């Protein structure tokens, strides 16, 4: 699996270079090299990750780094598919860089957190919804950061000359589309946990549920404020970042303490 991981990292590096070239080029350039490199990188990433997660006869190894690598793979796949429609070219180098770093970390730093999803299909549904919700809302966080950058440039009258820089209103529109989709997935994830998991609020697990619900409240407040009070700009950006921070604590906070600080 190390060989496959190295191949994935090499293709990610080529994809990062191609995306930067596409981003910085003043003249239109072909996108085929970028999509060819990232396609191979995603395939190799998926193959390497499946070898790490699918432990034969022992269950699934959902260690913190494996889950983080899986999230980065989902985000990279999503951004690659929608970047033309969402005009998210400027985010691609960041997304691919994080995927490469997390893939390298999961391959080089061993960790084990064995679960048996085949015996609990309802848990697989809950985890799948949770990962999709987190991935979409993390992409929304990236768009919020991009929106903050554009807003700052407009206020300081230092407009970027990057050819691929999207208009501020387009970024804001995509941000709310992503948050709406993420909130829907997060709602389904929380509902599936309440319906299927008897120990969702058990000792040692309750913080995940409480923080997830708190993050849901932040995002719902953001959407309510935007649609009823016309919230835009800094308030929207701040609430989006707060929601993503709380959700990250919910998903990875305790795992980081157990698998990294206390290991």
């Amino acid at each position: 699996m190390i060989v496959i991981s190295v191949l994935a990292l090499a293709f990610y590096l080529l994809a990062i270079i191609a995306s930067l070239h596409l981003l910085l080029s003043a003249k239109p350039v072909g996108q085929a090299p970028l999509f060819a490199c990232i396609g191979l990188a995603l395939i190799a990433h998926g193959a390497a990750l499946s070898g790490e997660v699918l432990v034969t006869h022992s269950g699934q190894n959902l260690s913190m780094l494996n889950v983080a690598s899986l999230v980065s793979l989902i985000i990279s796949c999503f951004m690659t598919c929608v970047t033309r429609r969402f005009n998210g070219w400027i985010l691609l180098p960041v997304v691919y860089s994080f995927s490469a770093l997390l893939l390298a970390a999961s391959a080089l730093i061993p960790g084990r957190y064995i679960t048996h999803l085949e015996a609990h299909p309802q848990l697989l549904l809950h985890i799948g919804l949770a990962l999709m919700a987190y991935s979409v809302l993390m992409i929304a966080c990236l768009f919020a950061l991009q929106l903050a950058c554009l807003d700052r440039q407009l206020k300081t009258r230092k407009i970027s000359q990057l050819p691929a820089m999207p208009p501020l209103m387009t970024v804001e529109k995509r941000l709310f589309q992503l948050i709406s989709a993420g909130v829907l997935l997060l709602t389904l994830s929380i509902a599936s946990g309440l319906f299927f998991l008897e120990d969702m609020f058990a000792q040692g697990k309750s913080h995940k549920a409480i923080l997830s619900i708190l993050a849901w409240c932040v995002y719902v407040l953001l959407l309510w404020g935007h649609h009823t009070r016309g919230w835009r700009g800094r308030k929207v950006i701040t609430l989006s970042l707060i929601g993503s921070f709380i959700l990250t604590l919910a998903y990875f906070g305790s795992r980081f303490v157990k698998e990294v600080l206390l290991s």
Side-chain angles (χ1 to χ4, degrees), residues 85-129:
R85 180 181 176 186
F86 277 34
N87 198 1
W89 300 103
I90 196 172
L91 297 176
L92 292 184
V94 178
V95 170
Y96 297 156
S97 297
F98 271 107
S99 290
L101 288 172
L102 289 170
L103 173 61
S106 64
L108 296 175
I109 303 175
R112 293 182 69 83
Y113 188 88
I114 304 299
T115 59
H116 296 276
L117 298 179
E118 68 280 359
H120 305 282
Q122 68 276 13
L123 181 60
L124 178 61
L125 173 64
H126 172 69
I127 292 177
L129 288 170

Side-chain angles (χ1 to χ4, degrees), residues 2-66:
I2 293 295
V3 175
I4 298 177
S5 297
V6 171
L7 284 175
L9 291 173
F11 285 123
Y12 269 128
L13 179 59
L14 292 174
I16 292 168
I17 294 172
S19 61
L20 287 173
H21 177 65
L22 185 66
L23 181 63
L24 299 174
S25 179
K27 298 180 180 179
V29 295
Q31 300 168 3
L34 168 62
F35 288 110
C37 291
I38 193 56
L40 292 171
L42 295 176
I43 293 172
H45 189 166
L49 190 58
S50 64
E52 293 289 337
V53 173
L54 301 178
V55 182
T56 306
H57 304 304
S58 301
Q60 296 79 41
N61 182 14
L62 297 182
S63 67
M64 184 188 71
L65 285 176
N66 283 349

Side-chain angles (χ1 to χ4, degrees), residues 88-202:
W89 300 103
I90 196 172
L91 297 176
L92 292 184
V94 178
V95 170
Y96 297 156
S97 297
F98 271 107
S99 290
L101 288 172
L102 289 170
L103 173 61
S106 64
L108 296 175
I109 303 175
R112 293 182 69 83
Y113 188 88
I114 304 299
T115 59
H116 296 276
L117 298 179
E118 68 280 359
H120 305 282
Q122 68 276 13
L123 181 60
L124 178 61
L125 173 64
H126 172 69
I127 292 177
L129 288 170
L131 290 177
M132 290 300 298
Y134 183 77
S135 300
V136 171
L137 291 171
M138 288 305 103
I139 296 173
C141 178
L142 292 175
F143 272 80
L145 292 173
Q146 184 181 9
L147 182 63
C149 179
L150 289 171
D151 186 61
R152 180 179 177 82
Q153 288 180 351
L154 288 174
K155 289 180 179 179
T156 58
R157 298 183 180 180
K158 295 181 180 179
I159 306 301
S160 173
Q161 299 301 314
L162 291 178
M165 182 67 75
L168 184 143
M169 294 301 295
T170 299
V171 176
E172 186 178 74
K173 178 181 178 182
R174 300 310 183 194
L175 172 62
F176 285 110
Q177 289 176 342
L178 288 166
I179 292 176
S180 298
V183 168
L184 175 61
L185 289 168
L186 185 58
T187 302
L188 294 174
S189 172
I190 294 172
S192 66
L194 292 172
F195 187 77
F196 292 123
L197 306 181
E198 298 179 357
D199 60 346
M200 187 172 177
F201 290 95

